[in-house]
Amino acid sequence: LSPPHGNVALGVVLDRLASAQTLHLSVSRDGRTTEVWFSRPGLLRWEDNLRQYRIAHGASQWRIDEDENQVVAETGARVDATQSADIVALQLLLEDAARGDRELLAHQLPVATLDRDGRTLWKYRVSLADQGPPRWLEALVDSRSRTLQSLSLQAEREGQVQAVADLTVVAVDAPIAKEKFVVQDTLTEDGRVGEIGEIQGLVSLKPVGRQRWSSLCEKSLLRPGDWIRADNRGSNAAVVKLVKRSQLVLGPGTLVEV
C-alpha cells in the first residue's frame, strides 16, 4: 500500500462503465457466487449454476430451473435491467441501490494506491449515508485504463468491519451469446414436459424418484425423468403430447424416459 496518486473522481470511472454495451460480473454474497451477464438494452441473466438462473427482459423477470423444467414469472425485482451498466452493477451489490448512491460516489477521489500483479490500482472508500449499521463501499480501479475492477460492500458487525458482498468485473463489452437471455419455450410454470393423452390397454407410469409403477386409466402430466411403459402383451398403446405440440405414439413393449 502506498500513498494515493491521481485525482480521477470515481464518477469518471462509473461514466465509462455506464457506456458499456455488455458486462460479465461475478457477485459473491453469504458464501455463494453468482455469475451475471448484462446486455443493453435491458437484458440480464444471473445464475447460481448452469441449470438454475434468472433472466430479465426489461421489467419482466423469470426464475428458471431446468432440472424441474420450470419457469416462474417474478415481480418486484431488485435489479432494474433497463438501467445503465453502472446502476445495474451497484444494484447487484447493494440490492437497495438508487441513483442517490451513484451521485454520492461521483466526486470521491482515491484514498490509496495498490500494486497488484504488476498493475497499479486506485482504491476508493466511501461511507454510505443510510440508516442501520455503518456501511462502506470500496472500489478498485485500474489506474492505466481507468476501468473498474471490483466493488466491495463492507459493514460493521460486532465492532469489526466485515465484507458483506463483493463484485468483480470479469469482462466489459465482450460478446455474449444471445442464448444466454432466451427463456426456452419447452419450460412450463408447473414443470410439465407434456402429458399422456389417449390410453389403450395396460400402460404404466413411474414418476421420477419413485420405485413403483402405477397403471394409468386417464390423462396424466409428465415431468422430466418420468418413465412410461406399455405392456408387451396385447394392444397396449399411449399417445404422449409434448409441450412443443409434438407427440409420440407408444406401442406394445415400449419403455421410454421423458
Side-chain angles (χ1 to χ4, degrees), residues 158-253:
E158 299 179 353
Q160 295 184 340
V161 177
Q162 300 178 8
V164 176
D166 295 291
L167 179 148
T168 301
V169 180
V170 180
V172 178
D173 284 335
I176 301 176
K178 293 181 179 179
E179 290 75 17
K180 280 286 186 188
F181 307 107
V182 172
V183 179
Q184 300 294 335
D185 59 5
T186 55
L187 299 169
T188 57
E189 189 170 352
D190 60 6
R192 75 177 71 182
V193 293
E195 66 176 15
I196 299 176
E198 301 175 35
I199 301 170
Q200 177 178 308
L202 182 56
V203 177
S204 303
L205 173 69
K206 183 165 75 72
V208 60
R210 304 284 182 86
Q211 298 300 318
R212 299 182 60 180
W213 291 85
S214 300
S215 297
L216 297 175
C217 58
E218 58 184 16
K219 292 182 179 181
S220 181
L221 298 182
L222 293 171
R223 291 178 170 79
D226 286 354
W227 284 86
I228 312 166
R229 180 178 66 191
D231 197 82
N232 59 3
R233 296 181 181 181
S235 300
N236 306 299
V239 176
V240 177
K241 299 178 181 179
L242 302 176
V243 294
K244 290 189 72 174
R245 298 184 180 180
S246 58
Q247 68 178 29
L248 302 172
V249 178
L250 309 182

Side-chain angles (χ1 to χ4, degrees), residues 17-25 35-46 56 58 79-89 91-92 171-176 180-181:
L17 189 65
S19 65
Q21 296 299 306
T22 69
L23 282 182
H24 178 191
L25 307 170
E35 296 295 313
V36 181
W37 288 266
F38 167 77
S39 180
R40 300 178 75 175
L43 298 177
L44 190 67
R45 172 183 174 128
W46 52 109
V79 180
D80 184 355
T82 65
Q83 297 287 344
S84 57
D86 58 328
I87 299 297
V88 168
Q91 288 179 331
L92 286 166
V172 178
D173 284 335
I176 301 176
K180 280 286 186 188
F181 307 107

Side-chain angles (χ1 to χ4, degrees), residues 2 113-122 141-144:
S2 57
T113 62
L114 297 80
D115 294 321
R116 182 174 297 176
D117 299 326
R119 295 184 304 160
T120 299
L121 302 178
W122 290 329
V141 174
D142 186 291
S143 63
R144 184 173 182 179

Side-chain angles (χ1 to χ4, degrees), residues 1-122:
L1 190 67
S2 57
H5 294 281
N7 58 355
V8 177
L10 188 53
V12 174
V13 177
L14 294 176
D15 285 344
R16 292 174 65 90
L17 189 65
S19 65
Q21 296 299 306
T22 69
L23 282 182
H24 178 191
L25 307 170
S26 179
V27 182
S28 298
R29 187 189 310 273
D30 298 327
R32 298 176 58 185
T33 299
T34 301
E35 296 295 313
V36 181
W37 288 266
F38 167 77
S39 180
R40 300 178 75 175
L43 298 177
L44 190 67
R45 172 183 174 128
W46 52 109
E47 60 181 43
D48 298 319
N49 56 63
L50 292 175
R51 307 285 294 177
Q52 296 169 323
Y53 49 90
R54 285 177 168 82
I55 288 178
H57 295 173
S60 300
Q61 179 179 307
W62 301 269
R63 175 172 51 84
I64 295 161
D65 187 333
E66 291 189 11
D67 290 333
E68 299 294 333
N69 199 60
Q70 192 172 44
V71 55
V72 178
E74 294 188 323
T75 58
R78 291 183 175 179
V79 180
D80 184 355
T82 65
Q83 297 287 344
S84 57
D86 58 328
I87 299 297
V88 168
L90 288 172
Q91 288 179 331
L92 286 166
L93 184 72
L94 303 178
E95 292 190 329
D96 55 0
R99 285 196 173 273
D101 295 298
R102 170 67 165 81
E103 295 170 0
L104 176 66
L105 302 175
H107 302 293
Q108 302 297 321
L109 297 175
V111 297
T113 62
L114 297 80
D115 294 321
R116 182 174 297 176
D117 299 326
R119 295 184 304 160
T120 299
L121 302 178
W122 290 329

